[in-house]
Amino acid sequence: MIPVTKPFLPSQQVYQHYLEGIWKRQWLTNMGPLANDLEMRLKDHLNLNHLLFVTNGTVAIQMAIKALELRGEIITTPFSFVATTSSIVWENCHPVFVDIDKDSLNIDAEKIEAAITDKTSAILATHVYGNPCDVEKIEKIAQRHHLKVIYDAAHAFGVEINGKSIFEFGDISTCSLHATKLYHSTEGGLIVTKDPDLLKKLAYIRNFGFDGPENFAELGINGKNSEFHAAMGLANLKYIDSIHKKRKELTKEYDEKLRNLKAVRPVWHKHSENNYSYYPVIFESEELMLKIIEHLKLHEIFTRRYFYPSLSHSLPYVKSDSYLPVTEDIAKRVLCLPLYYDLTLEEVDMISRLMLRIQNN
C-alpha cells in the first residue's frame, strides 16, 4: 500500500537517547529542558529571534487571535485546512472569505480590500502547501486599514522569501509540527512574532496566564507541549537536510514523469524556493481526476483531495453568502499525490504510469 503521506521517523537509538534523559529527570511536561532546547535550536535553524513551541498548530492560531485581542470580522481564505476557519469561530470572531488566486492558490490580495468593513480587525492568510502569500501587498493593505495580520504557515517550515524566514511576516505566524508534516514533533506547533512584548504575552497565554507560582498576568490556556514531543522534534531536526533533499528528488521525478499529464502545478512565489511539503496537481477536469483516484485505489495507492470541499459552504457553523468562483473550481480539480521520505523513485514512476494510462485510454 502507498498512502498519501507517512511520518518520518528518526533512528530509534537517537530518540532513545532523549528518552533516557526524560526518565532520569522525571520532568515530563511544563516546558522542560528538551522543550526549551528545541526552541533554541529551531530559532538557530530558522534564523529567528523569537519562537514558542506549543501544543499544535490549531492552538497556535487560537493563541494568536487571543493575543492580538481580535474582534468582529477576520478576512481569510476558504482554501485551507478547516482549523484556519474553525479557530476564528472558536475565538468568537466571524470569518469573511475572499477568493483565491488561480495560480498560487493563496488568498487573492487584489480582492482583500473589497471585503474590508468597519468590523474588520485582521487578515488571516494561509501559505497554501507552503507557497508564500503576497506578503508585501497584504502588509500594505493591513497598514492602510490598521489591521492585524496572522499567517497560517502550517505547511511552510523552512520556507524563505529572499533569504528571510516566512515566519517573520505578519504580526504573528503559526506552524504545525503534526506527524504528517515534513518536519514534525509527533504533535506540536510553533508561534512566531517579531514583537518581544507580544511574545511575552503569548508565553503567559501558553501557561494558563501564570506570572510566577501565585500570580496571573493574562487569561491563558494550557498550550504547552511535552518532553516526549520535544524529543521527537530534536531527533528529527538532525535529519531535516536529508528529508528536504529526498522530497526534492521525488518532486523532480514527478515533474519529469507527469510532464504530459493534463494538469498543472501551482505557481510558486518567484522569490522563494519550494520546501516540497506536498505534491498538488490541478487537473483539466474533475472527471479525469476522479477516474485517476479510483484507478490508483485499485492498486492500493491513496491520494487526497486537499483541500476539498471549499470551507465557504461546507461548515455548519459558518454562514457565508459569498460565491467564490476560483476557489470552487480549483477545489473540485486539485489532488495531492503521495509524497514522503520513504517513498521511492520507482514508486513515483509506477504512480505516474498508472495516472497516464487512465488519461490516455
Side-chain angles (χ1 to χ4, degrees):
M1 184 187 79
I2 300 176
V4 68
T5 189
K6 187 185 290 185
F8 175 86
L9 285 172
S11 152
Q12 290 188 29
Q13 289 78 13
V14 171
Y15 189 57
Q16 183 63 37
H17 165 75
Y18 291 108
L19 295 187
E20 288 171 0
I22 294 173
W23 252 258
K24 288 177 184 177
R25 291 185 294 272
Q26 296 183 307
W27 190 343
L28 307 185
T29 187
N30 286 356
M31 291 308 297
L34 294 185
N36 278 282
D37 188 26
L38 180 60
E39 285 188 345
M40 294 298 296
R41 291 180 185 275
L42 286 174
K43 282 192 286 188
D44 288 342
H45 178 76
L46 298 167
N47 196 24
L48 296 168
N49 292 322
H50 305 301
L51 173 152
L52 294 177
F53 178 49
V54 297
T55 311
N56 54 56
T58 304
V59 165
I61 297 173
Q62 293 168 2
M63 288 172 60
I65 294 170
K66 186 69 73 178
L68 293 171
E69 300 178 6
L70 302 182
R71 300 287 184 271
E73 297 174 351
I74 298 177
I75 291 173
T76 193
T77 173
F79 192 71
S80 184
F81 184 60
V82 65
T84 310
T85 296
S86 65
S87 296
I88 293 172
V89 178
W90 194 268
E91 293 301 326
N92 296 311
C93 294
H94 178 67
V96 175
F97 295 111
V98 166
D99 211 349
I100 62 172
D101 175 77
K102 66 180 178 62
D103 296 322
S104 70
L105 310 191
N106 289 323
I107 192 170
D108 190 338
E110 297 287 350
K111 298 175 181 174
I112 289 175
E113 281 195 285
I116 296 173
T117 71
D118 57 1
K119 296 179 182 177
T120 307
S121 60
I123 301 165
L124 200 175
T126 299
H127 301 302
V128 176
Y129 309 129
N131 188 11
C133 294
D134 191 339
V135 291
E136 292 183 357
K137 191 165 290 183
I138 290 173
E139 182 180 2
K140 289 176 182 177
I141 293 169
Q143 289 177 347
R144 191 155 54 239
H145 295 274
H146 308 290
L147 303 177
K148 300 296 185 183
V149 177
I150 299 171
Y151 284 112
D152 179 348
H155 305 159
F157 186 88
V159 172
E160 296 179 341
I161 297 178
N162 288 326
K164 180 179 179 181
S165 172
I166 193 68
F167 298 145
E168 289 203 60
F169 295 91
D171 293 279
I172 295 176
S173 287
T174 66
C175 185
S176 171
L177 302 185
H178 185 263
T180 56
K181 301 299 185 286
L182 68 87
Y183 167 74
H184 73 88
S185 58
T186 309
E187 283 281 3
L190 303 175
I191 188 161
V192 182
T193 178
K194 300 185 296 289
D195 184 338
D197 292 328
L198 189 54
L199 182 85
K200 186 175 182 181
K201 184 175 184 178
L202 286 163
Y204 285 137
I205 290 173
R206 178 176 64 176
N207 187 30
F208 301 101
F210 273 114
D211 181 16
E214 298 173 352
N215 298 310
F216 297 93
E218 294 284 344
L219 171 65
I221 57 171
N222 185 3
K224 304 185 301 297
N225 211 322
S226 80
E227 289 292 270
F228 295 94
H229 293 94
M232 183 62 77
L234 286 165
N236 281 343
L237 196 57
K238 297 177 184 293
Y239 298 88
I240 193 63
D241 290 339
S242 59
I243 292 170
H244 184 268
K245 180 181 178 182
K246 176 65 180 293
R247 295 175 80 106
K248 184 175 182 178
E249 289 174 356
L250 295 168
T251 295
K252 286 187 172 182
E253 189 72 6
Y254 269 131
D255 287 346
E256 172 64 21
K257 299 301 179 182
L258 294 176
R259 63 188 181 280
N260 294 322
L261 184 70
K262 293 178 181 177
V264 296
R265 298 262 285 127
V267 177
W268 201 265
H269 191 290
K270 62 182 179 180
H271 298 303
S272 176
E273 183 182 343
N274 198 326
N275 68 343
Y276 312 103
S277 283
Y278 297 89
Y279 195 90
V281 289
I282 307 162
F283 285 87
E284 274 189 6
S285 70
E286 184 180 20
E287 180 185 11
L288 173 59
M289 182 190 69
L290 293 174
K291 286 181 181 178
I292 285 175
I293 289 173
E294 291 308 311
H295 186 62
L296 291 177
K297 279 183 183 177
L298 293 176
H299 294 268
E300 295 193 317
I301 299 167
F302 297 93
T303 56
R304 186 177 179 187
R305 300 185 72 179
Y306 195 61
F307 306 95
Y308 176 82
S310 162
L311 296 176
S312 56
H313 297 293
S314 59
L315 302 176
Y317 47 82
V318 175
K319 293 181 180 179
S320 173
D321 332 347
S322 56
Y323 175 62
L324 307 171
V326 180
T327 302
E328 296 300 328
D329 177 48
I330 294 291
K332 289 177 183 176
R333 298 187 290 120
V334 69
L335 186 70
C336 284
L337 303 183
L339 184 63
Y340 49 89
Y341 183 81
D342 290 336
L343 190 68
T344 66
L345 294 175
E346 290 75 20
E347 287 170 329
V348 168
D349 293 347
M350 178 180 68
I351 294 166
S352 302
R353 285 198 309 273
L354 290 170
M355 292 173 68
L356 291 169
R357 181 184 303 168
I358 289 300
Q359 171 187 285
N360 297 333
N361 293 336

